[in-house]
Amino acid sequence: MPAQVVHAAFYNFADGEAARHIPSAWATIPPEASVAARERGSTASLRRILGDELADSPGLVRAADLTTKAATSAPTEGRVMYAGMRTLEVPSDPVARLWHSATMLREHRGDGHIAALVGARIGGTEAHVLSALEQGIHPPESFGRIHHLPKERLAAVMDGMRERGLIDTDGHFTDAGRAAKQRIETSTDELAAPPYDALSPAELDELITELEPITATLVATGSQ
């Protein structure tokens, strides 16, 4: 699809950033080959980090099954990235299936997050500013995802957020700004719930239990 649609779907790319790479990226590697390479690389990395014992465990297989059940059960209406992921074939290998289904859930949540941002009238660059402040980065203009933008562009965004009362003169959260950020996160959590409605309470508890050793191993190695 053209750069304009990619830009809209991802929401927080800088103006013109998608156009610099799309569609010329597909001249380097076709979309299908890119998706396949991404799956192979991510699965290999996940297996290497987890180790054979955990990667081949019955618990991981069960986690993959339950994650897939949730990830393939939510409505796709209004979920652009999630709908795109749903068109892809679910891998048979348990490690690959767990990664793929977790990605589907991530994109479902991401679509909901964008809806919450749009509803709060927070633009893509403004969302990065709020994220930077929540992480304790100051000045927020130094955040790695926006520091390369033209200074005039960043100044205009910051001025607009001050006018709306989201940040103060020093570029810190105001109470109103912090509350707005929290409302967005709460709404995102609520909008992310539908996939898990497909699981019974017992299945949801089982999924959490089976994911705990997997999560602990990933966190211990600094994976995000």
Side-chain angles (χ1 to χ4, degrees), residues 39-102:
E39 180 183 306
R40 288 195 304 271
S42 298
T43 302
S45 295
L46 184 57
R47 177 173 285 278
R48 174 180 55 79
I49 293 169
L50 295 178
D52 291 340
E53 183 176 354
L54 186 52
D56 295 328
S57 67
L60 184 139
V61 174
R62 183 58 174 159
D65 290 343
L66 291 172
T67 302
T68 302
K69 181 178 180 180
T72 56
S73 299
T76 58
E77 290 84 356
R79 308 275 182 166
V80 177
M81 297 296 292
Y82 173 65
M85 286 294 302
R86 283 283 298 273
T87 68
L88 302 179
E89 183 178 355
V90 177
S92 58
D93 173 75
V95 176
R97 187 164 71 252
L98 177 60
W99 176 82
H100 180 84
S101 296

Side-chain angles (χ1 to χ4, degrees), residues 105-177:
L105 291 171
R106 178 183 183 274
E107 298 302 350
H108 180 278
R109 180 181 178 83
D111 287 330
H113 188 55
I114 290 173
L117 289 167
V118 172
R121 297 188 298 115
I122 298 295
T125 305
E126 292 172 328
H128 285 315
V129 172
L130 295 181
S131 180
L133 291 174
E134 187 177 46
Q135 296 176 56
I137 298 172
H138 192 270
E141 298 98 316
S142 66
F143 186 34
R145 295 184 177 179
I146 59 174
H147 73 89
H148 62 287
L149 296 178
K151 287 183 170 41
E152 297 80 4
R153 166 64 177 157
L154 281 175
V157 169
M158 297 296 287
D159 287 344
M161 295 180 75
R162 289 189 183 94
E163 290 175 5
R164 293 178 60 187
L166 299 172
I167 59 175
D168 62 21
T169 55
D170 294 323
H172 291 282
F173 266 133
T174 60
D175 289 343

